[in-house]
Amino acid sequence: MNEQNPLPEIHPRGERSLVSATGQEITLLAETFRGRVHVGWDPDSPVTPMGQLAFFIDFLKTAELFLPWVEECPLSYASNNAPKPGDVLGTLLLSVLAGHHRYAHIATLRCDGVNPALLGMDKIVSVDSARRAFIGADGPKCRSWQWAHLRRCYDVLLDHPWILDVDTSVKVLYGHQEGAVLGYNPTKPGRPSHVLHTYFVGNTRLVMDVEIRPGNETAAKYTMPGLWTLLDDLPAARRPAFVRGDCAFGNERDMNDAEARFIPYLFKLRQSSGVKTLIGQLFGQDGWTDAGSGWEGVEASLRLMGWSRSRRVVVLRRRIRGEVAFQKTPPQLGQTELACVELCEGGVAYEYAVLVTSLKDPVMTIAQHYRDRADAENIFDELKNQWGWGGYTTHDLHRCQVMARIVAQVYNWWTIYAGLCVPERHAEAITSRPLLLYAVGRQIRHAGKTVLLLTSTHAKAREVERSLQSVADFLQSIRSTARQLNWTERWRLILDRAFARLLRRGGFSNSPPLLAPT
C-alpha cells in the first residue's frame, strides 16, 4: 500500500499571527519609523486613567467616610428603573476628583472600568441622572446631611485652639439661573453672578460650610447669620481662638455680635474718612515698630461714627518702592492720598492698612495673623479653578447649593488624604492629582485575586510609590486596631498624621496643635 507523505512548505504564506490576551487574533500591521508594529484592540479589559485612586478609596473605607455619607443621603426614588443613591453620589465624587466643572463632563467617566466597582457602584449614572438627582430633594434635610458630614472632617480639631476664616467670592454665571443678578463682580463687571459665603478652619484649609446667595448679596450681613448659627451650636470651649475677615466684616454689627458671644475677632477697616483722619494724626508721631515683612505698626484707639464705643486698632504702613502714579496733582507733603498712600519729604511714599481687633497680642503678632489670612484667597482660587466651585451650575439655586457642598466635602477628604501622602506641605489639586491620582491602571484576575497593574508617567513615580506604600501600611495599622479604638480615636490618628506640619511634637494626644498661633 502506497502512502503519500505531505511535503513541508518551503515558502510559508506569511508571518504567524499573534494572539492577544483575550485570545483574539492580531492581524493589523502598522509600518512605523521604528519598524513594523502589530496592532490589536482589547475592548473588554478593565482599565482606568485614575489608577492610583484605589489608595484614596482605601482611605475612605478605612476612615468610614463614604458609606455613611451615602447611607444618610436624603435621596429617594420611587421608580424601579431609577439609579441607586450610591451610584449617583459615587459618580459625582469621581467627577469632582477628575477636576470636572460641568455635569456634561461626567460622560467621560464611562471609560473607567475599574474605580466604580471599587467604590461599590453598579455603574456610572448618566449626565441627566446626575444633574437632576437633587431637584426634588428636601432642602433642610440636604442641609442637615451635608452639615453633619462636613463637620465630621474637622470636628476633632475643634478641641484645640483654631482660627476661623470667613470670606466671600464671586461665581460668574452665563445663563438665566435663579439668583443670577448683577452685583459686585471685580473680574467681569456687568456679568450676573452668585456669591459664595464660606467659612474655613484656618491653616488646615478645611471648609466648614459654604452658602450660595444671589449676586447682589455680597455684604457681610448675608454671611454672618450662617456663621453665628454654626458657632452657636458649639460649646464655648470649642469655639475659635478668633474670627478673621477682610474689610467687608469690619463693621459695628459684626463686632457687636462677636463681643456678645465673647469670641475675639480681627478685621480690616475700610478707608473711611474717620480712618483717614487717624492715619493723618499718626503719620508724624513716634512709636512705629517693626511689624514684619517690611511693615511698621502702631496701635491706637478709634471710635468711628456709628460705633457704640472705642476699639483697639492697629495701623500698619509699608514704604512703597519705586515711583507712585497719581491721577491728580501729587499732594502736598504730609497729606494723605486716598488714605492708603502717603507722600512725605524726600518723595518717600507709604501704603497703609488699619486693623480692628479685640485680641491683646502685640502689633507684630496681629500683623502676622492678618497676613496669614491671605491663605483664604488661595483656597478660593483652588476650589473655583481646580475643584468645580466655578461650575456645576443648574437653573435652580437649590441644586447649586447642594453641589457646592458636595465639592467641599470631596475637597476636604482629598485635602486630608493628600496630607497623609505629602505631610510636609499642602498640595493643591493642580499638583496632587498628577502626583497621587493619575496613572494608567489595568485590572486583571490571577489565581483568584484581583490585581491592578499601574503605570505612572510622572517624573516622581518612584517617590509616589514609596509614599503610597507608606500610606497603605498606615491604613492597615488603623484597621488592625479598629476593635480597640472607636471612630473618633481612629480619625484623630489620621488627622494627627495628615496635619503633622501644624502640630507640636507629640501630636493631638500630648499637646495642642498649632492651628492657631500662640
Side-chain angles (χ1 to χ4, degrees):
M1 182 175 180
N2 295 328
E3 294 182 358
Q4 296 181 353
N5 295 324
L7 298 176
E9 288 184 289
I10 299 176
H11 299 287
R13 296 180 182 179
E15 296 183 7
R16 181 174 298 177
S17 299
L18 300 177
V19 178
S20 68
T22 58
Q24 296 179 346
E25 186 176 348
I26 299 176
T27 59
L28 185 62
L29 300 176
E31 293 289 348
T32 71
F33 293 103
R34 293 299 299 270
R36 182 175 293 179
V37 176
H38 297 264
V39 181
W41 280 267
D42 190 6
D44 297 325
S45 292
V47 294
T48 175
M50 298 186 292
Q52 296 176 151
L53 186 61
F55 296 96
F56 179 64
I57 295 174
D58 183 9
F59 162 74
L60 294 180
K61 182 178 180 180
T62 303
E64 299 180 22
L65 299 175
F66 182 71
L67 279 183
W69 186 57
V70 171
E71 293 170 353
E72 298 172 16
C73 177
L75 274 182
S76 61
Y77 296 98
S79 172
N80 293 330
N81 297 323
K84 297 179 180 178
D87 291 343
V88 173
L89 293 177
T91 299
L92 293 176
L93 180 143
L94 291 175
S95 177
V96 173
L97 282 175
H100 296 169
H101 287 75
R102 299 179 62 188
Y103 288 100
H105 299 160
I106 290 175
T108 62
L109 296 175
R110 293 184 178 275
C111 69
D112 194 328
V114 176
N115 290 316
L118 299 184
L119 274 171
M121 300 166 54
D122 293 334
K123 62 178 181 178
I124 296 291
V125 302
S126 68
V127 173
D128 288 338
S129 295
R131 182 188 294 114
R132 298 172 181 172
F134 290 92
I135 194 170
D138 183 79
K141 289 183 179 179
C142 289
R143 182 172 60 250
S144 299
W145 163 62
Q146 294 187 299
W147 276 358
H149 286 275
L150 283 170
R151 182 166 175 174
R152 286 189 85 202
C153 292
Y154 62 81
D155 192 59
V156 170
L157 302 177
L158 305 189
D159 293 330
H160 308 276
W162 61 286
I163 300 169
L164 190 150
D165 283 323
V166 55
D167 207 348
T168 60
S169 185
V170 173
K171 174 184 176 181
V172 181
L173 301 176
Y174 296 92
H176 300 282
Q177 292 84 14
E178 179 185 1
V181 295
L182 297 179
Y184 173 72
N185 192 340
T187 58
K188 291 186 178 293
R191 172 65 60 182
S193 62
H194 283 163
V195 182
L196 304 168
H197 299 264
T198 316
Y199 328 118
F200 306 100
V201 179
N203 301 335
T204 65
R205 292 197 170 195
L206 295 181
V207 179
M208 300 182 71
D209 191 27
V210 55
E211 184 178 2
I212 294 186
R213 301 189 70 93
N216 60 348
E217 297 183 1
T218 59
K221 68 178 181 180
Y222 301 107
T223 309
M224 302 309 284
L227 174 62
W228 299 133
T229 299
L230 187 149
L231 293 182
D232 287 343
D233 290 337
L234 298 176
R238 309 188 77 221
R239 290 179 179 177
F242 61 91
V243 178
R244 184 169 55 188
D246 61 13
C247 59
F249 304 93
N251 58 71
E252 171 79 3
R253 179 190 60 253
D254 297 335
M255 289 185 285
N256 279 339
D257 289 342
E259 291 162 355
R261 293 169 172 82
F262 302 100
I263 298 178
Y265 55 83
L266 174 60
F267 301 132
K268 187 178 181 180
L269 289 178
R270 297 183 185 275
Q271 301 291 337
S272 63
S273 58
V275 173
K276 293 179 184 181
T277 301
L278 176 65
I279 293 175
Q281 293 172 351
L282 296 176
F283 169 72
Q285 295 184 8
D286 298 329
W288 292 88
T289 61
D290 180 26
S293 300
W295 289 86
E296 297 177 321
V298 64
E299 64 175 280
S301 180
L302 177 65
R303 180 176 181 177
L304 295 177
M305 184 178 298
W307 285 15
S308 58
R309 62 183 185 83
S310 297
R311 291 182 171 88
R312 183 195 183 196
V313 296
V314 174
V315 182
L316 302 173
R317 72 179 183 184
R318 179 174 60 180
R319 183 175 177 180
I320 300 176
R321 305 295 179 179
E323 297 182 357
V324 180
F326 295 95
Q327 294 181 354
K328 300 179 181 180
T329 304
Q332 298 179 358
L333 300 182
Q335 180 182 356
T336 60
E337 175 73 4
L338 298 180
C340 60
V341 177
E342 191 172 62
L343 206 64
C344 59
E345 295 182 1
V348 179
Y350 289 94
E351 61 175 321
Y352 286 83
V354 182
L355 310 176
V356 58
T357 182
S358 60
L359 297 172
K360 306 302 182 183
D361 299 310
V363 170
M364 178 174 285
T365 303
I366 296 294
Q368 186 59 50
H369 280 331
Y370 193 78
R371 281 194 294 270
D372 291 341
R373 195 205 69 84
D375 193 47
E377 305 297 336
N378 297 329
I379 304 174
F380 276 125
D381 174 72
E382 183 180 1
L383 280 163
K384 290 171 65 177
N385 298 322
Q386 303 171 33
W387 283 99
W389 263 8
Y392 289 111
T393 305
T394 51
H395 286 290
D396 59 295
L397 196 61
H398 165 65
R399 281 181 291 167
C400 291
Q401 174 67 80
V402 171
M403 195 60 203
R405 288 192 174 117
I406 288 177
V407 171
Q409 185 72 71
V410 178
Y411 164 80
N412 281 354
W413 288 343
W414 182 262
T415 298
I416 296 170
Y417 170 73
L420 296 177
C421 301
V422 190
E424 66 273 8
R425 60 182 175 84
H426 173 78
E428 291 193 358
I430 196 172
T431 301
S432 61
R433 280 198 187 104
L435 192 69
L436 304 174
L437 184 62
Y438 293 126
V440 178
R442 182 168 175 263
Q443 182 177 292
I444 61 175
R445 295 282 298 176
H446 178 70
K449 298 179 181 179
T450 301
V451 180
L452 186 61
L453 302 177
L454 303 181
T455 302
S456 175
T457 59
H458 200 284
K460 297 182 179 180
R462 293 300 181 187
E463 297 178 26
V464 174
E465 182 179 347
R466 290 193 294 268
S467 177
L468 293 177
Q469 180 63 54
S470 175
V471 171
D473 293 341
F474 171 71
L475 295 176
Q476 177 59 36
S477 69
I478 294 292
R479 288 191 294 272
S480 65
T481 59
R483 295 182 179 180
Q484 290 78 28
L485 303 176
N486 58 33
W487 180 87
T488 301
E489 293 169 333
R490 297 196 302 273
W491 187 238
R492 192 184 298 274
L493 290 175
I494 292 174
L495 292 182
D496 193 359
R497 171 166 171 155
F499 296 111
R501 68 188 186 278
L502 300 176
L503 307 179
R504 292 194 181 98
R505 185 174 300 174
F508 285 103
S509 57
N510 297 328
S511 59
L514 292 178
L515 303 178
T518 56

